[in-house]
């Protein structure tokens, strides 16, 4: 499958119905998801492998991994309502994903590759830290999305654990006025996708 085709399919992934600001529920835009997953796929980190998605939300990254031919995909999230949407998204797109209700701190099985777009820590400072910690413990290969401004922190965090960022790409996107505390109608954020080994 080509990247453009993946992106078109992922455009139909349904968003959170009633997003929780405390859990920082933002769905990854299909363009960014397709770009990061295609990069992982091109590097041989998806096809035929076990992929886990930590904080899978409505399934964007899990479904994309399955469509790119992952051998097995498991998506974990604490929110049962998001998981119900994720299951319906996966079946609509013909993607085989095992969605499980779990805190990421309780995930103990490993994977060949972890993909994730964790909470950025805008509500709870450093909310992405436990996700990074868990992902690095569970897999030798991680693709993750963070605020571009925290890229230095992410690189240090990995370096201190003997790991390194081998790929990074930044994207700008508009987040819609989703929560009441957002003052502007739309806000542009700069995020960075990274690959870690
Ligand atoms: N990965 C999805 C959703 C990103 S939003 C996407 O790319 O579209 C972050 C997700 O992490 C939310 O669905 C939220 O419910 C989940 N989450 C936040 N804290 C969590 C925790 N401690 N354990 C499991 N899931 C968590």
């Amino acid at each position: 499958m080509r990247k453009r085709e993946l992106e078109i399919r992922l455009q139909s992934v349904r968003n959170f119905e009633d997003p929780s600001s405390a859990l920082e529920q933002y769905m990854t835009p299909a363009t960014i998801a397709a770009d990061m997953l295609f990069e992982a796929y091109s590097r041989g980190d998806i096809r035929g492998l076990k992929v886990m998605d930590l904080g899978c939300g409505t399934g964007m990254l899990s479904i994309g991994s399955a469509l790119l031919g992952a051998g097995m995909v498991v998506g974990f999230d604490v929110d049962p309502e998001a998981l119900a949407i994720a299951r319906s998204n996966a079946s609509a797109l013909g993607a085989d994903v095992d969605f499980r209700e779990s805190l990421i701190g309780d995930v103990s099985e490993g994977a060949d590759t972890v993909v994730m777009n964790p909470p950025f820590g805008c509500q709870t400072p450093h909310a992405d830290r436990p996700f990074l910690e868990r992902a690095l413990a569970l897999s030798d290969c991680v693709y993750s999305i963070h605020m571009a401004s925290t890229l230095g922190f992410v690189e240090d965090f990995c370096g201190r654990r003997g790991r390194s960022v081998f790929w990074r790409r930044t994207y700008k996107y508009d987040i819609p006025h989703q929560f009441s505390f957002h003052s502007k109608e739309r806000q542009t954020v700069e995020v960075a996708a990274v690959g870690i080994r």
Side-chain angles (χ1 to χ4, degrees), residues 15-27 57 77-79 81-82 119 178-179:
N15 204 343
F16 298 96
E17 266 160 24
D18 184 17
S20 149
S21 62
L23 291 172
E24 293 193 44
Q25 294 185 321
Y26 286 103
M27 188 176 76
D77 204 286
V78 70
D79 179 9
E81 287 173 27
Q178 185 168 279
F179 302 124

Side-chain angles (χ1 to χ4, degrees), residues 36 39-45 112-114 136 139-144 151 154-155 158-159 163-169 193-197:
M36 178 177 84
E39 184 69 32
Y41 169 81
S42 308
R43 290 170 183 267
D45 293 327
D112 298 303
T113 301
V114 164
L136 294 179
S139 184
D140 290 341
C141 179
V142 176
Y143 288 84
S144 182
L151 202 49
V154 172
E155 286 179 330
C158 296
R163 310 286 288 272
S164 65
V165 172
F166 63 87
W167 170 78
R168 64 188 67 80
R169 187 168 293 152
V194 295
I196 305 163
R197 274 196 231 279

Side-chain angles (χ1 to χ4, degrees), residues 40-72:
Y41 169 81
S42 308
R43 290 170 183 267
D45 293 327
I46 301 278
R47 191 160 189 89
L49 302 180
K50 177 178 176 187
V51 177
M52 293 196 317
D53 179 0
L54 302 183
C56 62
T58 63
M60 180 65 78
L61 300 176
S62 301
I63 293 168
S65 301
L67 294 178
L68 286 171
M72 177 188 185

Side-chain angles (χ1 to χ4, degrees), residues 47-197:
R47 191 160 189 89
L49 302 180
K50 177 178 176 187
V51 177
M52 293 196 317
D53 179 0
L54 302 183
C56 62
T58 63
M60 180 65 78
L61 300 176
S62 301
I63 293 168
S65 301
L67 294 178
L68 286 171
M72 177 188 185
V73 185
V74 191
F76 298 91
D77 204 286
V78 70
D79 179 9
E81 287 173 27
L83 290 168
I85 301 174
R87 290 189 185 102
S88 119
N89 280 333
S91 86
L93 279 153
D96 185 13
V97 180
D98 181 3
F99 287 108
R100 298 192 204 152
E101 186 179 334
S102 173
L103 283 164
I104 54 113
D106 293 338
V107 179
S108 56
E109 65 194 85
D112 298 303
T113 301
V114 164
V115 294
M116 61 180 186
N117 182 5
F120 290 152
C122 301
Q123 288 307 300
T124 314
H126 311 304
D128 52 352
R129 210 173 278 193
F131 275 76
L132 263 180
E133 192 81 79
R134 206 77 213 120
L136 294 179
L138 299 175
S139 184
D140 290 341
C141 179
V142 176
Y143 288 84
S144 182
I145 301 174
H146 300 269
M147 290 299 278
S149 59
T150 64
L151 202 49
F153 156 76
V154 172
E155 286 179 330
D156 283 355
F157 189 94
C158 296
R160 273 183 266 116
R161 286 157 184 79
R163 310 286 288 272
S164 65
V165 172
F166 63 87
W167 170 78
R168 64 188 67 80
R169 187 168 293 152
T170 57
Y171 310 88
K172 281 201 173 89
Y173 77 97
D174 284 345
I175 48 171
H177 183 107
Q178 185 168 279
F179 302 124
S180 53
F181 58 80
H182 287 156
S183 48
K184 293 188 214 148
E185 182 65 20
R186 297 185 82 82
Q187 199 181 350
T188 303
V189 293
E190 197 172 2
V191 299
V194 295
I196 305 163
R197 274 196 231 279

